Amino acid sequence: MVQIESPHTQDSELEIERDYLARARAALALMHKDVVSRDTPRIGGEDNDERFTNESYLRARWLRAQALVDLPDVPLFFGRLDYESGTVEETDQIYIGRRHVHDDLGTPLVIDWRAPVSVPFYRATPTDRQRVRRRRRYGYSDSAELTAFDDELLDRAAADGAGGTGGAREPDTVDETADDAADAFLRAEIERPRTGPMRDIVATIQPEQDDLVRAPLQPSLCVQGAPGTGKTAVGLHRIAYLLYTERERLSRGGVVIVGPNRSFLSYIRKVLPALGEVDVRQATVDELLGQAQLANAETFDAARVKGDARMVRVLRRALWSHVGTPTEGILYAKGSRRYRVPDYEVQEIVSAVRGSTSYGPGRNAVAQRVAHAVLLRMERRGESPDDRVQNAVARSKPVKQLIDEVWPRLVPEQVLFRLLSDAEFLAASAGDDLTPEEQADLLWPKPARSWKSARWSTADVVLLDELSELIERRAGSLGHLVVDEAQDLSAMQLRALGRRCRTGSATVLGDLAQATTPWATGSWGQVLDHLGMQDAMLAELDRGFRVPAQIIDFAGRLLPAIAPTLGAPRGVREIPDALRITETAEQGLLDTLVSACRKALEGEGSVAVIAADDEIAALRDALLARGLDAALLGAGEGEEEDEDALDALEAGRLVCVPAMLAKGLEFDAVVVAEPARIVEAEPRGLHRLYVVLTRAVTSLHIVHAKPLPAALTGRP
């Protein structure tokens, strides 16, 4: 595909490009050495302000050094643009890579893909060349050795003067040259065997993806993306782009990526560092809000109710019901003088404050207003009290006793414990929002003795977070929040995330057809409303690059049943024998699965066996007994969860994946065991099956003994 005049020219030009790559790597090494060897001057002494400044300088230097690390398996540049003369100052040719590299004189050797001058690499076409004459793409081995390059000649004059093509067919038009070359490069990159964590797509970003990656920080962005459209990659590359264009603004609040589970976060963990961004936190919702102390598994119905937006009103009533009505006034003594504020005036103060502030600040507000009423009586007697006197009155014993009786100090755990363990209190707080059946679902069958010994579920932690906000409004805000698989979050989880990004912006990613949780929201409008991002721009990606067309079309048969409002996604790649369906007898199921795994392992790249959650461990044991070296995803705990399985993927081994953890992951080949059992395992089983069927990049083999779901076969 390289457009050159002879094999000799090809070899010599490839050597020139390799020499340039070696020069760029040497320059990057010098840039890194310059940072790590430079002394960071210390400021002043050891007081808090100066110590904080010194620590900030040291951290900034460390981050800069990390960003300049030359990752051995990541090519420094992936493209080149040859511009018309005079387009770019001092050069007509720029190399485009994942980060900026310059030599010791400051001459740019590699231009960051995020820079404006790099945009035509993704946007230029033969009909809108943007002054680009030639676009060159590079091919690399897995060890980042430059092995080939491919040229697209975007102007007819350049094509006419390009000479022969080394035996390749002469194209009829320049458009055909560019389109065929681009499609071939994209296909080669996508079909390159994958092992280990997710790779960046910076070399193959498509124009519709680039529009979203380079969208401005405000307003927030919501992307509805079908399987294989690259929505997760778009979100990650968008973060890298925003940190390039808005670094100072975002650094003040920070950037957080929220994913559905640790397996997913481990899978995407290398993308941003490969793009030179090492200071982005990645967390699950539970990690961001606080870990649960789960004593018993939450029932489906209880989790659904606790995630519903109606719980906001229930929690508000439960909290504010603790504010009572004063039955007595207050008597304040100062020396020999007595100052009385009558009960009706105290009642008016409490009533006025109750609807004007959060619960926690309300205590102090009532105390200050009662103290002010005392000061007015002092002034009527000719005294001249000041603010110090008012504060002293507000802290006095009579006022404190009044506040503790009428407006007691509370923590979220007290309120929620009472709500979930006291049927009468729950009924009063529920009002008309919850049915008696829903109230029964919420009540603990065996409550703890007190709120201090209670153990909270993941759904409870979200309610505690809402109560914390009602008691004391949270200050501060993230600069930017990325929420992936957002369709699976409850209204209450979304509200909690929105509070952490109150003045920032967000990138919201997901697919309504892949909504698998009992509390999943029904539309992006609802998601954005709960997040507090009502002005977000909604975009859709429906062109599937990674999932072969045969597979996406087959999985798309489920859409009328699970997401009737969504259009069918379009697959852009046809691969022979990408989809196989094998029906077998129950007693022969395991033998057929083993055979399917062995067949898949004959190819290159990663292979996954996906089955119902309660069957995957036994299936993995059976594969091990048959001599297949299979890892199990989700076997670990905490921060180290799934590292062993991901290491296994990097080594090219087979991995067994519970259906619940498949979302967001990709494998070269996928073997799905017994789809009907995946569907039967949970109320939104068809949604889960849609996720499972769309994880393959090259081939999908379905093995079943039980009949396939009717939605897949067209049976009534």
Side-chain angles (χ1 to χ4, degrees):
M1 295 198 307
V2 181
Q3 295 186 353
I4 51 177
E5 294 187 359
S6 69
H8 176 73
T9 307
Q10 176 183 3
D11 292 340
S12 61
E13 190 161 356
L14 189 59
E15 284 304 314
I16 292 173
E17 296 288 26
R18 286 172 173 166
D19 290 344
Y20 193 90
L21 176 61
R23 179 186 170 195
R25 286 200 180 279
L28 181 63
L30 288 177
M31 291 171 64
H32 181 266
K33 181 180 179 181
D34 181 59
V35 172
V36 298
S37 63
R38 185 187 308 159
D39 290 333
T40 302
R42 299 183 64 83
I43 299 175
E46 291 298 323
D47 62 62
N48 289 337
D49 289 342
E50 292 174 344
R51 184 167 62 250
F52 176 79
T53 301
N54 287 325
E55 290 174 353
S56 298
Y57 284 156
L58 289 171
R59 175 168 173 76
R61 189 182 74 166
W62 180 84
L63 289 173
R64 177 60 177 161
Q66 291 298 111
L68 292 173
V69 170
D70 187 2
L71 302 175
D73 58 343
V74 178
L76 270 191
F77 56 80
F78 52 81
R80 193 185 88 185
L81 289 179
D82 295 355
Y83 278 104
E84 294 175 357
S85 179
T87 302
V88 182
E89 186 176 355
E90 297 183 357
T91 183
D92 298 330
Q93 188 178 91
I94 64 170
Y95 287 79
I96 301 169
R98 290 165 172 81
R99 67 195 75 188
H100 175 84
V101 180
H102 60 256
D103 63 16
D104 54 352
L105 299 177
T107 303
L109 300 180
V110 180
I111 301 295
D112 196 302
W113 66 277
R114 299 167 287 188
V117 73
S118 302
V119 172
F121 183 80
Y122 304 102
R123 305 284 186 90
T125 66
T127 55
D128 180 21
R129 295 190 296 108
Q130 302 180 39
R131 303 195 71 180
V132 174
R133 296 177 56 253
R134 181 196 308 264
R135 174 166 44 207
R136 174 169 289 185
R137 292 183 172 92
Y138 297 94
Y140 290 87
S141 67
D142 289 339
S143 59
E145 177 188 1
L146 201 162
T147 58
F149 61 87
D150 176 87
D151 282 349
E152 296 176 43
L153 302 176
L154 300 184
D155 65 327
R156 188 173 300 277
D160 291 342
T165 58
R169 179 180 63 85
E170 191 72 32
D172 296 329
T173 65
V174 176
D175 294 55
E176 183 181 346
T177 304
D179 291 344
D180 289 351
D183 289 345
F185 187 86
L186 175 62
R187 176 182 286 269
E189 178 63 21
I190 290 174
E191 295 177 0
R192 182 160 60 97
R194 63 201 59 238
T195 57
M198 178 181 178
R199 299 191 296 256
D200 67 69
I201 63 166
V202 67
T204 58
I205 294 174
Q206 299 301 291
E208 65 266 39
Q209 296 173 325
D210 195 52
D211 287 338
L212 302 179
V213 168
R214 297 178 192 269
L217 183 62
Q218 295 283 5
S220 295
L221 176 66
C222 177
V223 180
Q224 157 65 39
T229 55
K231 57 182 177 295
T232 295
V234 165
L236 295 172
H237 288 70
R238 173 167 162 76
I239 284 298
Y241 175 77
L242 291 176
L243 286 169
Y244 179 83
T245 58
E246 304 275 2
R247 189 174 303 278
E248 182 176 350
R249 183 175 175 183
L250 292 180
S251 63
R252 291 194 292 268
V255 177
V256 173
I257 297 173
V258 175
N261 50 58
R262 290 304 317 172
S263 298
F264 175 85
L265 293 175
S266 296
Y267 179 64
I268 68 171
R269 72 188 189 273
K270 288 189 175 182
V271 174
L272 285 173
L275 299 175
E277 301 299 342
V278 296
D279 194 27
V280 176
R281 182 185 176 191
Q282 300 181 6
T284 65
V285 174
D286 295 340
E287 290 168 345
L288 201 61
L289 303 189
Q291 292 291 338
Q293 302 171 349
L294 188 60
N296 297 299
E298 195 87 85
T299 66
F300 177 94
D301 290 331
R304 179 184 55 80
V305 176
K306 288 179 180 180
D308 196 286
R310 292 173 294 165
M311 287 301 299
V312 177
R313 296 190 292 272
V314 176
L315 295 175
R316 188 176 289 119
R317 291 191 198 101
L319 174 64
W320 287 99
S321 69
H322 290 82
V323 176
T325 301
T327 57
E328 297 181 359
I330 184 171
L331 180 64
Y332 178 77
K334 183 180 181 184
S336 60
R337 295 191 173 188
R338 301 289 185 270
Y339 306 94
R340 181 180 297 278
V341 181
D343 56 359
Y344 70 85
E345 189 170 344
V346 176
Q347 292 172 7
E348 291 174 355
I349 290 173
V350 171
S351 178
V353 172
R354 178 171 180 158
S356 64
T357 185
S358 300
Y359 186 93
R363 284 174 49 88
N364 183 60
V366 170
Q368 288 292 331
R369 292 197 184 190
V370 170
H372 181 69
V374 172
L375 260 65
L376 291 177
R377 285 158 175 77
M378 291 180 177
E379 291 173 348
R380 291 170 189 163
R381 297 189 183 184
E383 299 181 44
S384 301
D386 55 17
D387 289 344
R388 289 175 297 176
V389 175
Q390 179 169 324
N391 290 332
V393 175
R395 294 192 301 268
S396 67
K397 184 176 180 180
V399 175
K400 282 186 175 181
Q401 288 178 336
L402 170 71
I403 300 302
D404 288 340
E405 291 174 4
V406 176
W407 203 299
R409 190 184 305 275
L410 294 172
V411 296
E413 290 80 1
Q414 287 175 276
V415 181
L416 189 59
F417 175 79
R418 185 180 176 191
L419 192 70
L420 300 180
S421 58
D422 185 336
E424 291 186 4
F425 183 65
L426 174 57
S429 301
D432 295 331
D433 286 308
L434 302 181
T435 66
E437 292 76 17
E438 289 174 325
Q439 295 174 39
D441 291 331
L442 290 182
L443 281 172
W444 284 336
K446 294 181 179 180
R449 291 184 178 181
S450 74
W451 64 268
K452 293 183 179 180
S453 60
R455 299 178 70 82
W456 308 104
S457 71
T458 54
D460 293 334
V461 170
V462 183
L463 299 182
L464 292 172
D465 193 79
E466 184 77 30
L467 282 166
S468 295
E469 173 72 9
L470 292 173
I471 292 173
E472 197 80 38
R473 184 177 172 85
R474 179 175 287 105
S477 174
L478 293 171
H480 195 79
L481 177 70
V482 178
V483 187
D484 208 343
E485 305 297 348
Q487 77 282 342
D488 274 343
L489 298 180
S490 71
M492 300 302 289
Q493 288 174 318
L494 291 166
R495 286 176 58 85
L497 293 177
R499 287 192 289 273
R500 285 158 174 79
C501 197
R502 204 187 305 274
T503 61
S505 58
T507 299
V508 182
L509 311 166
D511 179 11
L512 296 178
Q514 298 184 56
T516 53
T517 57
W519 48 75
T521 47
S523 72
W524 289 119
Q526 293 176 351
V527 169
L528 297 173
D529 185 57
H530 295 317
L531 273 173
M533 306 282 180
Q534 294 89 343
D535 63 340
M537 179 181 72
L538 178 61
E540 183 174 3
L541 293 174
D542 63 358
R543 197 158 65 105
F545 305 103
R546 301 188 177 277
V547 183
Q550 303 99 306
I551 297 175
I552 198 67
D553 290 345
F554 180 73
R557 297 179 185 180
L558 296 172
L559 288 177
I562 63 176
T565 62
L566 294 181
R570 298 175 293 121
V572 300
R573 297 160 53 240
E574 291 273 356
I575 298 179
D577 300 320
L579 175 65
R580 293 185 63 192
I581 302 174
T582 302
E583 184 174 7
T584 183
E586 184 73 35
Q587 60 269 27
L589 184 67
L590 181 59
D591 288 337
T592 306
L593 282 171
V594 170
S595 176
C597 291
R598 294 190 188 281
K599 180 67 176 177
L601 287 169
E602 292 176 2
E604 296 181 283
S606 57
V607 179
V609 176
I610 308 179
D613 293 14
D614 60 354
E615 297 182 349
I616 194 68
L619 180 56
R620 184 248 190 157
D621 291 341
L623 294 177
L624 290 174
R626 299 296 185 94
L628 290 173
D629 190 8
L632 177 62
L633 200 65
E637 296 181 357
E639 291 290 336
E640 300 302 319
E641 180 184 354
D642 308 319
E643 288 297 326
D644 290 343
L646 286 165
D647 289 343
L649 285 179
E650 291 179 353
R653 293 163 57 192
L654 175 70
V655 62
C656 295
V657 182
M660 183 175 290
L661 296 182
K663 191 171 295 181
L665 306 183
E666 289 181 347
F667 305 91
D668 287 287
V670 172
V671 178
V672 175
E674 209 63 277
R677 290 178 182 162
I678 294 174
V679 174
E680 295 166 357
E682 55 185 308
R684 299 177 73 94
L686 282 178
H687 293 76
R688 183 74 67 189
L689 180 59
Y690 182 74
V691 173
V692 169
L693 295 179
T694 54
R695 300 304 95 199
V697 175
T698 302
S699 67
L700 170 66
H701 192 168
I702 299 170
V703 178
H704 70 101
K706 301 183 70 173
L708 293 177
L712 287 177
T713 62
R715 298 191 313 270

